[in-house]
């Protein structure tokens, strides 16, 4: 059941959803000062929300104590300007524990990531996410991807549950998403359930998701090139398909090709991009690895090309 405060805040501010990377110092420990700088830059650039310690923020690599410190730092830096949504995952008990930590740190909501490793059936997934929602006062967005893919019937039941306000899709089956949207609309016509395009480099599929009415999306590019990401966002929501296609063909398409050259590049290449822009957020933690030097060089050239495309269209 949609709770108005977070749902309204996520849709009220016009801008991409910002997933900051987590900053580490030379010794590998958290660098909260740099992290706060990164969060502040994103907010000042026009982020609609901060999703802290999620996939791009290496949730998998953080201890509960580090997680709490990062969420609290994001909340302090946001200072109520935009909502802060924190990641939560693993099994039900640990997901509830991370929810408790996020709530104590002042987060506005949770992004509930897939359960750890196991492949569950639909009743089991429903029990997991509803138990998480019941255990916290924070609103919950369920993340569909990998081992947590839902039938339309299950999403209807998720949408009925108190505290679950939306579904972020990282699976990419548009036929399934259309049937999910249709089922919720049919069975819960008064429910303002939110949907998010959560695919890596979501801009690449933005036109397709817009076609089925899904306009909210996460932007990894916003973490390192907010000017490009914001220009694309504005073009997409205003129907400026000429600009959208120019950036898709000249920047986002090649970026996806580069991202696909290495495992874990959906995180490590983003972090390299932040460093290229002058903020030393450190390397990724194991088991992820840093991009190859030639791929970082290619990323730098691609960012320059993206900005040239903005100038060409001005």
């Amino acid at each position: 059941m949609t709770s108005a405060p977070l749902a309204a805040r996520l849709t009220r501010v016009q801008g991409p959803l910002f997933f900051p990377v987590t900053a580490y110092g030379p010794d590998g420990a958290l660098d909260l000062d740099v992290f706060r700088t990164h969060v502040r830059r994103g907010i000042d650039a026009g982020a609609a929300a901060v999703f802290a310690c999620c996939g791009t923020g290496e949730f998998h690599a953080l201890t509960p104590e580090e997680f709490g410190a990062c969420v609290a730092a994001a909340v302090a830096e946001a200072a109520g300007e935009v909502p802060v949504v924190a990641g939560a995952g693993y099994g039900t008990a640990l997901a509830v524990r991370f929810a408790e930590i996020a709530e104590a740190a002042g987060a506005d909501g949770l992004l509930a990531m897939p359960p750890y490793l196991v492949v569950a059936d639909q009743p089991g997934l429903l029990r997991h996410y509803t138990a998480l929602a019941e255990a916290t006062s924070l609103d919950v967005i369920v993340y569909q991807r990998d081992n947590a893919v839902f039938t339309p019937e299950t999403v209807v039941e998720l949408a009925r549950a108190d505290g679950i306000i939306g579904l972020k899709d990282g699976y990419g089956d548009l036929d399934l998403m259309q049937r999910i949207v249709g089922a919720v609309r049919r069975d819960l016509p008064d429910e303002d359930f939110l949907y998010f395009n959560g695919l890596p480099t979501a801009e690449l599929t933005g036109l397709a998701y817009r076609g089925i009415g899904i306009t909210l999306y996460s932007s990894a590019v916003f973490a390192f090139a907010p000017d490009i990401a914001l220009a694309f966002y504005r073009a997409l929501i205003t129907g400026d398909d000429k600009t959208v296609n120019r950036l898709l063909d000249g920047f986002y398409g090649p970026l996806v090709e580069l991202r696909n050259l290495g495992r874990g590049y959906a995180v490590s290449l983003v972090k390299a991009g932040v460093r290229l822009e002058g903020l030393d957020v450190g390397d990724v933690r194991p088991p992820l690895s840093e991009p190859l030097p030639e791929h970082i060089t290619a990323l730098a050239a691609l960012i320059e090309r993206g900005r040239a495309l903005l100038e060409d269209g001005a």
Side-chain angles (χ1 to χ4, degrees), residues 176-217:
L176 174 61
M177 283 305 300
Q178 179 63 72
R179 289 185 288 114
I180 286 172
V181 171
V184 174
R185 184 169 56 229
R186 180 191 65 235
D187 293 353
L188 302 172
D190 297 325
E191 191 66 34
D192 190 17
F193 198 64
L194 301 181
Y195 301 95
F196 305 78
N197 174 0
L199 289 172
T201 317
E203 287 91 344
L204 196 67
T205 53
L207 286 170
Y209 275 80
R210 187 182 70 178
I212 59 173
I214 299 174
T215 58
L216 292 167
Y217 66 89

Side-chain angles (χ1 to χ4, degrees), residues 212-268:
I212 59 173
I214 299 174
T215 58
L216 292 167
Y217 66 89
S218 54
S219 175
V221 169
F222 190 86
F224 62 87
D227 50 340
I228 299 173
L230 194 59
F232 181 90
Y233 173 85
R234 289 171 175 162
L236 185 66
I237 64 171
T238 60
D240 180 5
D241 289 350
K242 181 178 179 180
T243 298
V244 166
N245 288 327
R246 183 172 68 252
L247 289 172
L248 286 177
D249 296 343
F251 175 76
Y252 284 102
L255 177 64
V256 169
E257 293 176 4
L258 180 60
R259 185 200 70 206
N260 290 343
L261 293 178
R263 288 188 178 275
Y265 273 21
V267 177
S268 62

Side-chain angles (χ1 to χ4, degrees), residues 59-270:
F59 171 79
H60 68 276
L62 300 174
T63 67
E65 294 76 18
E66 290 174 325
F67 170 85
C70 279
V71 174
V75 169
E77 199 59 46
E81 293 177 53
V82 298
V84 174
V85 179
Y90 303 117
T92 306
L94 273 177
V96 168
R97 178 66 186 128
F98 277 102
E100 293 169 345
I101 296 169
E103 189 166 357
D108 298 289
L110 298 173
L111 178 63
M113 291 179 282
Y116 172 72
L117 194 61
V118 296
V119 178
D121 60 14
Q122 295 295 300
L125 290 170
L126 184 60
R127 287 176 57 206
H128 170 73
Y129 291 106
T130 54
L132 173 59
E134 289 169 0
T136 179
S137 66
L138 297 179
D139 289 330
V140 176
I141 300 163
V142 175
Y143 195 178
Q144 169 169 265
R145 59 174 295 170
D146 300 325
N147 59 329
V149 178
F150 307 101
T151 64
E153 295 76 17
T154 298
V155 177
V156 168
E157 293 308 310
L158 289 170
R160 290 187 199 276
D162 288 338
I164 297 179
I165 68 165
L167 179 74
K168 179 183 178 184
D169 180 47
Y171 186 57
D173 184 335
L174 286 173
D175 176 272
L176 174 61
M177 283 305 300
Q178 179 63 72
R179 289 185 288 114
I180 286 172
V181 171
V184 174
R185 184 169 56 229
R186 180 191 65 235
D187 293 353
L188 302 172
D190 297 325
E191 191 66 34
D192 190 17
F193 198 64
L194 301 181
Y195 301 95
F196 305 78
N197 174 0
L199 289 172
T201 317
E203 287 91 344
L204 196 67
T205 53
L207 286 170
Y209 275 80
R210 187 182 70 178
I212 59 173
I214 299 174
T215 58
L216 292 167
Y217 66 89
S218 54
S219 175
V221 169
F222 190 86
F224 62 87
D227 50 340
I228 299 173
L230 194 59
F232 181 90
Y233 173 85
R234 289 171 175 162
L236 185 66
I237 64 171
T238 60
D240 180 5
D241 289 350
K242 181 178 179 180
T243 298
V244 166
N245 288 327
R246 183 172 68 252
L247 289 172
L248 286 177
D249 296 343
F251 175 76
Y252 284 102
L255 177 64
V256 169
E257 293 176 4
L258 180 60
R259 185 200 70 206
N260 290 343
L261 293 178
R263 288 188 178 275
Y265 273 21
V267 177
S268 62
L269 202 66
V270 173

Side-chain angles (χ1 to χ4, degrees), residues 19-63:
F19 285 66
V21 302
T22 298
Y24 309 125
D27 61 353
L30 288 182
D31 191 327
L32 292 177
D33 289 337
V34 172
F35 177 70
R36 286 187 62 155
T37 298
H38 182 42
V39 170
R40 171 45 51 191
R41 289 182 180 180
I43 294 170
D44 288 345
V50 174
F51 282 68
C53 304
C54 296
T56 307
E58 297 180 80
F59 171 79
H60 68 276
L62 300 174
T63 67

